[in-house]
């Protein structure tokens, strides 16, 4: 009998697998690659909500776990995933500059917000009021991470690439059986695909479609992440990620002309050089009504667990939430109340 079955291999699945491996637990992963949110994510780790100059939820603790977690993955897999990049928030006015300084005085934010206004030296950018710099930020190459980790598990015989069939899952008192696999526990880390679950479908996972462009702009020559109406993230060979959109009704992974035009319109408000769109991707972020992750045990089945709902901050939340869940299952350590799915138990019994 194995210790765990893990369903899904995005940031949540990878983080939980790493936690299991670190603790010597046996597991098998089942994934069909249908959920694209991790692969097409911008991958930023940024502790500050730049629209309102506020600290993201639990940001200090999460950022402390983020760097060593991905550093370990780089050493283990022999790839570079973590690209340290300053995030520069373009100011639209003197008032925004003043708001930035006020925010930089607040406890917590003072650690991350620089009080030195960065003047604009890039002729391809229109930014007469300069930028505010967020410190300790960067980008995780999530696409490369997912593919590399998938290959790593495949070589070890721990990967089963197929769509998970809920009807084939047998839930026993002390184990679960799926095909030829029997395990003590199963963890659903399947992103927006959780909506199809007969066990966890009651959870208020809304799903928000996000779209990104990849542009080639040889004259841009920007080494920082620039955040205005959209962000631009430098990649390689004069290419940049541009994103992102937030759509609540469309639940497909198909890129749309409407979102492309929205991104281009916002990009052109500050980028003044020529560029070419070379790619356009989309994915459904697993977002939750109260903007907190979904972590915990099923209300009735003691060996069914969920690890989900990371929204647009999966890079930072995944290592933290995975450790929380592991310690809850194996050591009986209480979950952070804000992420515990017990907050929605009433919905289960009303469903």
């Amino acid at each position: 009998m194995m210790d765990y079955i893990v369903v899904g291999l995005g940031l949540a699945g990878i983080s939980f697998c790493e936690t299991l491996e670190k603790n010597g637990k046996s597991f098998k992963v089942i994934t069909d690659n249908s959920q694209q949110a991790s692969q097409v994510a911008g991958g930023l780790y940024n502790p500050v909500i730049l629209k309102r100059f506020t600290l993201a939820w639990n940001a200090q603790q999460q950022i402390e776990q983020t760097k060593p977690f991905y550093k370990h993955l780089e050493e283990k897999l022999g790839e570079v995933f973590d690209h340290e990049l300053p995030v520069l928030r373009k100011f639209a006015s003197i008032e925004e500059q003043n708001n930035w300084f006020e925010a930089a005085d607040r406890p917590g934010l003072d650690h991350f917000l620089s009080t030195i206004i960065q003047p604009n030296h890039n002729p391809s950018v229109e930014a007469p009021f300069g930028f505010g710099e967020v410190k300790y930020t960067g980008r995780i190459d999530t696409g490369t991470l997912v593919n590399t980790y998938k290959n790593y598990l495949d070589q070890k015989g721990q990967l089963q690439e197929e769509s998970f069939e809920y009807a084939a899952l047998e839930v026993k008192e002390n184990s679960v059986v799926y095909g030829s696999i029997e395990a003590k526990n199963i963890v659903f880390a399947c992103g927006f695909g959780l909506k199809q679950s007969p066990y966890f479908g009651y959870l208020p996972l809304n799903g928000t479609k996000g779209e990104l462009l990849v542009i080639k702009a040889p004259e841009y020559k920007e080494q920082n992440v620039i955040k205005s109406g959209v962000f631009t993230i430098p990649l390689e060979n004069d290419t940049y990620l541009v994103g992102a959109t937030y759509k609540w009704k469309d639940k497909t992974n198909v890129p749309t002309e409407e979102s492309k035009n929205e991104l281009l319109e916002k990009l052109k408000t500050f980028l003044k050089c020529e560029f070419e769109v070379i790619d356009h991707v989309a994915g459904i972020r697993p977002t939750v009504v109260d903007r907190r992750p979904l972590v915990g045990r099923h209300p009735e089945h003691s060996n069914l667990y969920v690890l989900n709902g990371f929204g647009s901050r999966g890079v930072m939340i995944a290592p933290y939430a995975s450790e929380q869940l592991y310690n809850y299952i194996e050591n009986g350590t209480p979950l952070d109340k804000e992420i515990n799915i017990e907050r929605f138990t009433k919905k289960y019994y009303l469903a």
Side-chain angles (χ1 to χ4, degrees), residues 165-239:
E165 299 292 340
Y166 286 97
L169 179 67
E170 184 183 355
V171 182
K172 297 184 175 182
E173 189 174 342
N174 296 309
S175 68
V176 294
V177 178
Y178 185 77
S180 61
I181 312 167
E182 185 169 13
K184 295 174 186 174
N185 302 295
I186 185 167
V187 174
F188 292 97
C190 45
F192 188 64
L194 191 74
K195 292 298 288 184
Q196 311 306 318
S197 170
Y199 300 103
F200 292 106
Y202 72 94
L203 293 170
L205 191 69
N206 292 341
T208 309
K209 183 172 184 175
E211 299 190 40
L212 293 169
L213 303 178
V214 181
I215 64 168
K216 190 171 183 69
E219 297 172 41
Y220 191 14
K221 304 300 181 192
E222 183 58 59
Q223 301 301 313
N224 304 301
V225 176
I226 302 293
K227 176 67 173 78
S228 183
V230 290
F231 61 70
T232 63
I233 305 176
L235 301 176
E236 60 281 319
N237 302 321
D238 297 323
T239 61

Side-chain angles (χ1 to χ4, degrees), residues 89-97 117-120 126-132:
R89 167 59 153 82
K90 186 177 86 73
F91 293 131
S93 62
I94 296 294
E95 183 184 6
E96 276 202 339
Q97 290 180 351
I117 290 180
Q118 301 286 337
N120 177 35
E126 187 171 299
F129 299 100
F131 305 93

Side-chain angles (χ1 to χ4, degrees), residues 2-239:
M2 288 198 169
D3 293 311
Y4 288 85
I5 297 171
V6 179
V7 182
L9 198 63
L11 289 168
I14 289 172
S15 298
F16 195 70
C17 289
E18 275 300 286
T19 308
L20 293 177
E21 195 164 272
K22 181 176 72 175
N23 288 281
K25 299 296 183 182
S26 57
F27 63 92
K28 190 111 177 184
V29 174
I30 298 168
T31 182
D32 64 358
N33 310 310
S34 64
Q35 301 306 310
Q36 298 292 310
S38 292
Q39 285 95 321
V40 305
L44 284 181
Y45 52 92
N46 165 28
V48 181
I49 298 168
L50 290 172
K51 189 174 183 179
R52 301 186 296 274
F53 305 159
T54 54
L55 205 59
W57 169 74
N58 214 7
Q60 182 69 53
Q61 184 173 357
Q62 289 168 19
I63 206 82
E64 287 170 3
Q65 289 180 260
T66 296
K67 296 293 292 180
F69 176 81
Y70 293 105
K71 179 69 174 174
H72 170 73
L73 276 174
E74 287 182 329
E75 293 170 352
K76 173 175 164 175
L77 301 174
E79 285 275 1
V80 176
F81 307 118
D82 185 1
H83 303 272
E84 294 183 358
L85 295 166
V87 173
L88 302 183
R89 167 59 153 82
K90 186 177 86 73
F91 293 131
S93 62
I94 296 294
E95 183 184 6
E96 276 202 339
Q97 290 180 351
N98 293 334
N99 292 340
W100 180 272
F101 285 126
E102 285 179 20
D105 281 338
R106 295 181 205 138
L109 278 167
D110 57 352
H111 180 66
F112 295 111
L113 299 187
S114 170
T115 53
I116 300 170
I117 290 180
Q118 301 286 337
N120 177 35
H121 297 298
N122 190 333
S124 295
V125 177
E126 187 171 299
F129 299 100
F131 305 93
E133 180 184 349
V134 186
K135 298 180 285 186
Y136 314 113
T137 56
R139 176 182 74 91
I140 300 299
D141 185 344
T142 54
T144 300
L145 171 59
V146 170
N147 291 328
T148 305
Y149 204 84
K150 190 195 303 178
N151 292 337
Y152 168 76
L153 291 180
D154 195 26
Q155 289 168 11
K156 295 182 69 183
Q158 291 176 282
L159 183 70
Q160 198 162 308
E161 290 196 75
E162 62 180 64
S163 294
F164 187 85
E165 299 292 340
Y166 286 97
L169 179 67
E170 184 183 355
V171 182
K172 297 184 175 182
E173 189 174 342
N174 296 309
S175 68
V176 294
V177 178
Y178 185 77
S180 61
I181 312 167
E182 185 169 13
K184 295 174 186 174
N185 302 295
I186 185 167
V187 174
F188 292 97
C190 45
F192 188 64
L194 191 74
K195 292 298 288 184
Q196 311 306 318
S197 170
Y199 300 103
F200 292 106
Y202 72 94
L203 293 170
L205 191 69
N206 292 341
T208 309
K209 183 172 184 175
E211 299 190 40
L212 293 169
L213 303 178
V214 181
I215 64 168
K216 190 171 183 69
E219 297 172 41
Y220 191 14
K221 304 300 181 192
E222 183 58 59
Q223 301 301 313
N224 304 301
V225 176
I226 302 293
K227 176 67 173 78
S228 183
V230 290
F231 61 70
T232 63
I233 305 176
L235 301 176
E236 60 281 319
N237 302 321
D238 297 323
T239 61

